[in-house]
Amino acid sequence: MVREGAPVGNETIAWSASCVAEEPSAGLWRASFSIGEVTLGLSGDATHTPFFSPQIEPFRCPLSACDIEIAFEWVEHISSPLSPLAFDSGSVWKLYQSGSDFTFDFSSPVISSQPYKRLHVDRDFRKALLFLNRSCFPEGSYCNPLEYPLDELVVMHRLGRERGVEVHAAGLYDADLREAGRGGFLFIGHSGAGKSTTSRLWRERRNVTILSDDRIILRKQDGQVWMHGTPWHGEAAYAAAEKSKIDKLFILEHAPANRITQLRGSQAVGELMARSFLPFYDGPALESTMAFLEEIVETIPCYRLEFLPDSSAVETVLNFRL
Amino acid sequence: MKQLGNDPVEKRLYEPPKICTISLRPEEAVLGNCKISGSSGPGNAACSVLPKCSSIGS
């Protein structure tokens, strides 16, 4: 079924019928994923079966009820929203606040003057309606409803409500050091800081599993900080649906020599914050995330790693003792 | 009356105020840019869903 138009933000959204997590009935399809222990359920009309990117496939899970439930519908057009603009990403999405809910519009002038996709989501990031604009998709084309950055945005916002955070980082665990309780390494860095390079260097020299070379989700469990792989990999294309405890956290920087220095307190929180994905426009979630960053810094040792992009950087980390 | 030294919560060390410089990258702080050709997203040249868009990213 194709609905005429997507809600424009000033009308009541009927969440109940299509959003509630249930076993798929005849004529409906359902898919569910778990990323950083945030579960994401997507359901819609089986006449428009979607496809998902190969990157997200390893994150599929069999859950019937998820943390976030997204119901997906085709519409003939998407009008301009009437609710006030809360945030303009400067890329393909804008955020509008409609009452207590959020509306994300995805658009590109190359495609259409209308948004090609609209996500209407409740304030808790539990229930969402996703509208795809039929006029922006050529007849017979495949559709990936979770197409980046929607998947990452939804998970990032939910994390802000669950004491979690997504960081710009490479994470790996060294199987040969795991029993000694020092095998989990998190390398945080801006673009170009050496996350993919570091991942490759460790992969070539050690028995490691690389959770991601670009995006890692951090969660706290039983008093320890864990890192989770995500589908949103970097240049080296490492993405594993696994997790590991973190033993050391490094802020990466290229330098003419290898050097490790400890970071403490507000300096460490600031460095971490500068490399995190935060909901700047959402006060309570931002406050909760900042408190979580502080907890991370208090729980695991943080260092700055200035490094040369060769095997000596791996040795420097392995030989480092405070 | 509260007994000194009996508090089970360890007191945090006092950190005096100081100025430190943090390098910020506003363009990387917001999700949405298709920064690598191997990623999914409408800016990706290999994207089969939508025509190439203007979201090139960093």
Side-chain angles (χ1 to χ4, degrees), chain A residues 93 110 191 214 266-267 294, chain B residues 12 20 28 31 35 52:
Chain A
W93 62 274
V110 178
S191 287
D214 200 60
S266 54
Q267 174 90 38
E294 204 175 336
Chain B
R12 284 188 191 176
C20 51
E28 288 185 21
L31 295 175
K35 58 187 180 52
K52 277 191 188 180

Side-chain angles (χ1 to χ4, degrees), chain A residues 8 46 110 121 126 155 166 235 258 311 321:
Chain A
V8 292
V110 178
V121 58
R126 290 283 187 199
V155 171
E166 185 186 357
E235 191 191 315
N258 296 312
S311 61
R321 302 282 186 278

